[in-house]
Amino acid sequence: MHKNEFIFHFQNIDRQTTPNYYDYAIVIEGIKAKLKNEIGIDFHMYADEETSNEIWDVLEEDLQENKEEVQLISYIYDGIETYTISSNHTNEKLEFIVKPRLNNAVYYYPRLKVALARATVFQMHNDMNHDFVLASDHESILEFLAYVLKRKKDYHKNYVTVFTDTEDGVDNKKERITTLVDRDQVFLEENLKKEIYRSIDQFFTEDGKFFRQYNIPYKRGILLYGSPGNGKTTLVKSIANSIQAPVVYWQITEHTSSYTVKEVFTSIAKMTPMVLVIEDMDSMPEEVRSVFLNILDGSTSKEGIFLIGTTNYPEKIDPALINRSGRFDRAYELKLPTDELRYKYLLMKQFDQFMSLEDVERIVQNTKGFSFAQLNELYTSVALQWHYEHEVNVDMICENLQADNKKSQTANWATTEQAKMGFGF
């Protein structure tokens, strides 16, 4: 593009002629001049109205783990921070790290001939951050966007993306998967387990070839329901750990609206094939359910999305959602573990380091009605007693936990008139 194709040029304006534009344009002019001087290319600017989150997420990831692709050209202002201090939880430890700051810098992808800059524009009444995307030509920007989508899928394999509905829209952050769950750590009835994993595996094998071959819409939804503590979250974690595809958790809140529903599905459409997990489906506000249903029924909006919903209260779920093609095709109940599953689970937890197998079998008989979460608490109690006393009173621990279990089921925690929670005077 030649300069004579513009009506106004930066060299011909000043603060008196166009005061509001000048403060903005001087930043752009400085960035373009620096790129021309360092690289020798005239860059064109591109408006980014749909992929901004993806571009800057990938840039941040590349600066950490793919440094050969991107280089720092220059900082913009000398009076603004150039590095960011952040915390990182690894192996149950809190670590602090220093990483490059996206704001106030110009970065360049030499192979793709694309530059990115995030700058603060200081104006009379307010200061605003602006994102600038610059490329040598259209082919370069299109190749860069293809690279962004590929990189987004690659690093999503190590992270779970969490969408949270807020009063300002959808908050998007990624969390590294720290607690990996293998499939053999999931305790379900064998037929149920096989059916769920077979459905998952087929969905993410050969990019949907199975679905095209048998003329089945390439979208799937399952609803997991049952009492708390019976493995719904563990099952979802194992799925996230065992597939080579992005996994997104969508947290529904009191701020969930038709706008946030559309925003979530617009964002995940760029990540397919992928898994979308919606925990506590019953908490979805009634006034947005019709919008949610319409999106699920769309011919292409859910293409390549494997939807997993969870709930502890299936009776609160809209019947229109369940057992309907394209919505939740199947609903699976995760029941309380059987005697056999409890025995296998106790051995997996290595209860036999504290007691004989005969004692483990006795625990199985004394924990009827226990969830997996309650068995975890049992393990903690046993380990604590063993650590301090070097012996375990299995019957006493089971009796206490059974009593607590009954109280939680009846919500009757007070055993006497005086046994009340709170402060009495």
Side-chain angles (χ1 to χ4, degrees):
M1 183 173 290
H2 302 292
K3 286 188 176 181
N4 58 13
E5 295 183 24
F6 293 102
I7 298 174
F8 298 100
H9 302 283
F10 177 75
Q11 292 81 0
N12 301 329
I13 64 172
D14 54 34
R15 285 190 175 88
Q16 282 69 44
T17 57
T18 52
N20 291 328
Y21 174 71
Y22 184 87
D23 294 330
Y24 176 84
I26 197 172
V27 177
I28 299 172
E29 186 69 9
I31 292 171
K32 291 175 117 178
K34 183 66 175 179
L35 288 169
K36 175 69 173 179
N37 182 58
E38 294 287 331
I39 302 168
I41 298 176
D42 287 318
F43 282 84
H44 308 296
M45 295 179 61
Y46 291 82
D48 176 27
E49 298 176 351
E50 294 186 1
T51 59
S52 57
N53 286 339
E54 284 81 3
I55 286 176
W56 295 95
D57 284 348
V58 167
L59 173 60
E60 184 175 21
E61 187 75 13
D62 282 347
L63 290 172
Q64 295 292 315
E65 300 183 9
N66 203 25
K67 297 178 182 178
E68 68 277 4
E69 279 285 0
V70 60
Q71 66 185 51
L72 172 69
I73 294 297
S74 176
Y75 299 114
I76 299 173
Y77 299 105
D78 65 359
I80 297 181
E81 300 87 347
T82 55
Y83 292 93
T84 296
I85 302 170
S86 65
S87 60
N88 185 30
H89 291 268
T90 58
N91 297 325
E92 300 181 356
K93 294 181 180 179
L94 176 62
E95 298 178 351
F96 291 98
I97 59 175
V98 176
K99 58 185 181 181
R101 187 170 171 81
L102 300 188
N103 194 30
N104 193 40
V106 181
Y107 293 101
Y108 180 58
Y109 284 81
R111 181 175 64 85
L112 301 164
K113 297 181 180 179
V114 169
L116 303 175
R118 177 171 282 175
T120 302
V121 176
F122 298 94
Q123 296 182 309
M124 185 177 299
H125 298 295
N126 60 4
D127 304 334
M128 294 186 63
N129 288 331
H130 291 266
D131 295 342
F132 301 107
V133 179
L134 306 98
S136 59
D137 51 47
H138 296 348
E139 290 75 15
S140 295
I141 194 66
L142 292 175
E143 185 179 355
F144 174 70
L145 292 176
Y147 166 82
V148 166
L149 292 180
K150 180 180 182 303
R151 284 288 292 135
K152 188 82 171 177
K153 289 183 178 180
D154 287 343
Y155 80 71
H156 268 301
K157 295 173 185 176
N158 300 319
Y159 294 90
V160 168
T161 301
V162 180
F163 289 160
T164 304
D165 294 338
T166 72
E167 58 184 347
D168 298 318
V170 178
D171 178 58
N172 176 355
K173 66 178 181 179
K174 63 181 188 295
E175 296 182 359
R176 184 177 288 275
I177 301 174
T178 55
T179 305
L180 301 179
V181 177
D182 296 327
R183 292 189 175 186
D184 57 7
Q185 294 176 275
V186 175
F187 290 82
L188 293 174
E189 295 176 12
E190 197 57 38
N191 289 338
L192 176 61
K193 184 175 180 178
K194 181 187 296 183
E195 186 173 335
I196 291 176
Y197 283 125
R198 182 175 288 174
S199 180
I200 286 283
D201 290 340
Q202 193 58 65
F203 193 86
F204 292 102
T205 299
E206 299 177 350
D207 295 325
K209 179 181 177 181
F210 166 84
F211 291 82
R212 292 192 299 272
Q213 179 180 350
Y214 295 102
N215 196 28
I216 301 172
Y218 189 37
K219 45 189 178 181
R220 188 83 177 149
I222 63 174
L223 179 69
L224 306 176
Y225 69 94
S227 302
N230 280 332
K232 293 186 291 297
T233 300
T234 301
L235 175 59
V236 170
K237 285 183 177 180
S238 77
I239 291 171
N241 183 42
S242 62
I243 62 172
Q244 297 298 309
V247 177
V248 172
Y249 273 73
W250 177 19
Q251 295 183 342
I252 294 174
T253 71
E254 70 273 18
H255 301 296
T256 298
S257 64
S258 57
Y259 171 79
T260 62
V261 171
K262 293 174 183 176
E263 187 176 353
V264 166
F265 277 92
T266 298
S267 297
I268 64 175
K270 303 165 189 171
M271 301 161 60
T272 57
M274 55 82 67
V275 172
L276 173 62
V277 181
I278 310 177
E279 291 196 319
D280 301 323
M281 277 292 305
D282 50 275
S283 64
M284 180 175 289
E286 188 172 352
E287 61 270 16
V288 302
R289 292 179 184 177
S290 60
V291 175
F292 179 66
L293 290 175
N294 289 337
I295 290 180
L296 294 187
D297 291 340
S299 58
T300 60
S301 61
K302 223 182 79 158
E303 189 80 9
I305 298 175
F306 197 106
L307 179 62
I308 301 177
T310 72
T311 180
N312 296 330
Y313 308 100
E315 68 277 4
K316 295 182 181 180
I317 296 291
D318 189 337
L321 277 172
I322 303 176
N323 297 330
R324 296 283 293 273
S325 177
R327 297 179 180 180
F328 288 104
D329 306 281
R330 295 292 302 273
Y332 297 106
E333 181 181 6
L334 273 61
K335 302 177 181 179
L336 289 167
T338 61
D339 290 358
E340 180 183 1
L341 286 177
R342 289 201 306 280
Y343 183 72
K344 290 181 179 180
Y345 190 76
L346 294 179
L347 291 183
M348 186 275 293
K349 295 289 290 184
Q350 297 183 331
F351 267 70
D352 52 339
Q353 67 183 301
F354 307 120
M355 61 191 68
S356 66
L357 290 178
E358 289 76 12
D359 286 333
V360 174
E361 291 176 352
R362 198 161 83 256
I363 287 180
V364 170
Q365 297 306 313
N366 289 339
T367 55
K368 292 184 183 297
F370 273 41
S371 66
F372 288 116
Q374 290 167 325
L375 292 178
N376 288 337
E377 177 56 29
L378 174 63
Y379 176 84
T380 301
S381 299
V382 167
L384 281 169
Q385 191 174 77
W386 175 264
H387 181 76
Y388 286 103
E389 302 176 15
H390 302 292
E391 62 179 2
V392 177
N393 188 332
V394 175
D395 295 329
M396 183 191 72
I397 291 176
C398 288
E399 183 179 338
N400 290 340
L401 286 174
Q402 280 285 14
D404 289 342
N405 193 24
K406 291 178 181 178
K407 290 177 183 178
S408 65
Q409 291 173 352
T410 61
N412 182 19
W413 296 97
T415 56
T416 67
E417 190 65 29
Q418 287 75 29
K420 297 178 180 179
M421 301 181 70
F423 298 96
F425 298 97

